[in-house]
Amino acid sequence: MNETRVIRIFEDNQRKVDLTEQNIKDILRIKDIVGENNIILQADGKLLIRHYVGFIQINKTRLLIYPKISQNICDENEFEKSFTVLMKLLSYSGFENVKNIPNPQTIDKYKGDLLELFIGLFIDELLLQFKRDINRGYHQQLENETFIKGKVDFVETIKKNSFKKHLHYIRYDKFSEDILLNKVFKSVIQNLIKRTNSNQNKIKLKQSLLWLEDVEEIALGIDVWKNVKFNRHNFKYSTAFNMSKLFYYNSSPNLNIGDECSFSFLIPVNQLFELYLFKVINENRNRAIDVKYQSPVKYLAKSENKNFLMLKPDITIANSGQIKYILDAKYKQIFKDSKELSLSQSDIYQMIAYSIRYECDSIALIYPKLLKNEDCNLLIQELKFKNYDKEINIKLIQADLELEPSNLWEELSNVLDLDAKTL
């Protein structure tokens, strides 16, 4: 049995990799998942994926995509640093309900593999709950018996026992482990055993099956997830259940149609970055100010009572109902090399549109600070634009994602001068 081939690349950074014919076929299938414009595979093996981080596995090819944290990738250690940054962004932002990320020492054993980390988190949580109290419940049984227990199903009895007067179809509730929630867990576990490369994960997954020995597998479908109900007795299993849903809904095609060759968990890196910045600001802010994510929504133009050109800023900071600052996150490289700015005109036009429609003169574009930009200040540059009798100020800022969230907040608060702007 061939081992899964693991390929590691950085988002939006072209890298040459040695590929077999099967690897090439598998990677080309990824276009159906990320879109044709977001993946480029050249004849010489140079591979580029844009806008997404995470993992994709097709057949025996697993592609790990890390957020770009360096302008010029130098060594393999930067994969580990990037993985640590990704874990921090996922955990702190709560993106896709990914929480409870273990400490860096524990993360190291997964060798930068996001899929193995998620499997490890899932099975550790499930085993913890199994050891405390295996989940049991009542489920309805239908059996053909000579005795009466529960209620007689007369329809089934007349239909199937016309000439068997001594038998009756009966329905009764049985208290056991063979309930819907456990059936979901068992089906997901069986699928993950086929995917994991980690011996430790495989051992734990098989251990969990011992707790579910008397539970039947089930074909997973959307209706199955909807039918699982939680109460005060089984609520402790909700975390493991939500992770099971994550595995299911990020399968492509989904597990319920029987094709188990493709599996992915892809994160739009810019969306993750902006949500992380929002959480950093919102959870550390002065309570006198109001911070909103992707709101309020407005329109730039109107014609014949119809709105056109929707505007939805990433982060707004307001005081007493008046917007004082608009922040927009851009997870991309702001420097062409170590010094020359690479500024998008469309980004600037977008900020000017925000300023006009929201009547806000203080704008900030926030970029990630790359490892090789150590000598560059937090405030890269401040641009000023005339808008009739007003002046629009657009600050270009780079956020150091290696900082703790509270320290990052202090830096952002100082450079944005939030106290002066909002109080």
Side-chain angles (χ1 to χ4, degrees), residues 54-230:
F55 63 82
I56 311 171
Q57 180 164 334
I58 295 181
N59 296 317
K60 292 294 181 179
T61 304
R62 183 181 301 172
L63 189 61
L64 304 178
I65 311 161
Y66 298 82
K68 184 172 60 177
I69 59 169
S70 178
Q71 193 163 5
N72 298 304
I73 307 304
C74 297
D75 56 61
E76 293 294 313
N77 290 334
E78 291 184 4
F79 283 113
E80 306 304 325
K81 291 181 181 179
S82 178
F83 186 64
T84 301
V85 168
L86 177 58
M87 290 302 97
K88 180 190 294 184
L89 267 59
L90 281 171
S91 178
Y92 194 83
S93 67
F95 192 91
E96 291 279 2
N97 293 317
V98 176
K99 299 177 182 177
N100 302 320
I101 298 294
N103 58 46
Q105 291 76 19
T106 307
I107 286 177
D108 287 345
K109 70 183 180 183
Y110 298 107
K111 299 178 181 178
D113 193 323
L114 189 60
L115 173 56
E116 298 296 353
L117 172 64
F118 280 7
I119 293 174
L121 292 175
F122 164 72
I123 198 58
D124 285 345
E125 172 66 22
L126 193 58
L127 283 173
L128 175 65
Q129 300 305 333
F130 280 167
K131 290 173 183 176
R132 288 176 175 173
D133 180 24
I134 184 65
N135 188 30
R136 296 180 179 89
Y138 288 99
H139 62 102
Q140 195 172 83
Q141 295 280 101
L142 175 64
E143 294 181 0
N144 196 15
E145 300 287 354
T146 57
F147 57 85
I148 294 176
K149 177 182 179 180
K151 296 180 180 179
V152 177
D153 189 323
F154 290 103
V155 174
E156 289 294 318
T157 300
I158 293 170
K159 187 188 300 182
K160 297 179 180 178
N161 288 339
S162 299
F163 301 100
K164 301 174 184 177
K165 304 297 183 182
H166 64 294
L167 293 175
H168 305 276
Y169 273 93
I170 57 173
R171 292 185 183 273
Y172 63 94
D173 291 332
K174 183 179 180 181
F175 189 72
S176 73
E177 295 91 358
D178 193 23
I179 57 175
L180 182 59
L181 180 58
N182 287 342
K183 290 178 181 180
V184 168
F185 287 145
K186 187 167 187 176
S187 298
V188 170
I189 290 166
Q190 294 282 24
N191 187 272
L192 293 180
I193 288 174
K194 300 173 187 175
R195 301 185 186 282
T196 183
N197 279 345
S198 166
N199 289 331
Q200 188 173 12
N201 280 345
K202 192 162 289 189
I203 289 170
K204 289 181 178 179
L205 288 166
K206 289 181 178 180
Q207 284 177 349
S208 67
L209 289 179
L210 298 176
W211 293 89
L212 302 172
E213 192 174 1
D214 296 327
V215 176
E216 295 180 3
E217 282 189 65
I218 190 172
L220 296 177
I222 295 175
D223 290 339
V224 171
W225 300 99
K226 291 180 179 178
N227 288 332
V228 174
K229 306 297 181 185
F230 285 94

Side-chain angles (χ1 to χ4, degrees), residues 183-301:
K183 290 178 181 180
V184 168
F185 287 145
K186 187 167 187 176
S187 298
V188 170
I189 290 166
Q190 294 282 24
N191 187 272
L192 293 180
I193 288 174
K194 300 173 187 175
R195 301 185 186 282
T196 183
N197 279 345
S198 166
N199 289 331
Q200 188 173 12
N201 280 345
K202 192 162 289 189
I203 289 170
K204 289 181 178 179
L205 288 166
K206 289 181 178 180
Q207 284 177 349
S208 67
L209 289 179
L210 298 176
W211 293 89
L212 302 172
E213 192 174 1
D214 296 327
V215 176
E216 295 180 3
E217 282 189 65
I218 190 172
L220 296 177
I222 295 175
D223 290 339
V224 171
W225 300 99
K226 291 180 179 178
N227 288 332
V228 174
K229 306 297 181 185
F230 285 94
N231 53 45
R232 61 186 179 87
H233 299 293
N234 65 0
F235 185 76
K236 56 183 175 287
Y237 283 93
S238 60
T239 299
F241 177 75
N242 288 332
M243 291 203 75
S244 298
K245 285 175 71 175
L246 182 148
F247 291 125
Y248 172 81
Y249 282 105
N250 289 286
S251 297
S252 181
N254 285 327
L255 305 180
N256 62 306
I257 61 175
D259 185 345
E260 299 178 352
C261 293
S262 176
F263 189 67
S264 67
F265 179 74
L266 293 172
I267 307 155
V269 65
N270 202 77
Q271 188 179 342
L272 175 62
F273 181 47
E274 66 188 37
L275 182 58
Y276 175 73
L277 290 176
F278 166 72
K279 287 293 182 72
V280 167
I281 295 169
N282 190 50
E283 293 183 10
N284 294 281
R285 65 183 168 87
N286 183 321
R287 296 298 131 179
I289 65 175
D290 186 28
V291 181
K292 291 185 177 179
Y293 177 60
Q294 293 190 343
S295 71
V297 174
K298 294 189 178 184
Y299 292 85
L300 188 61

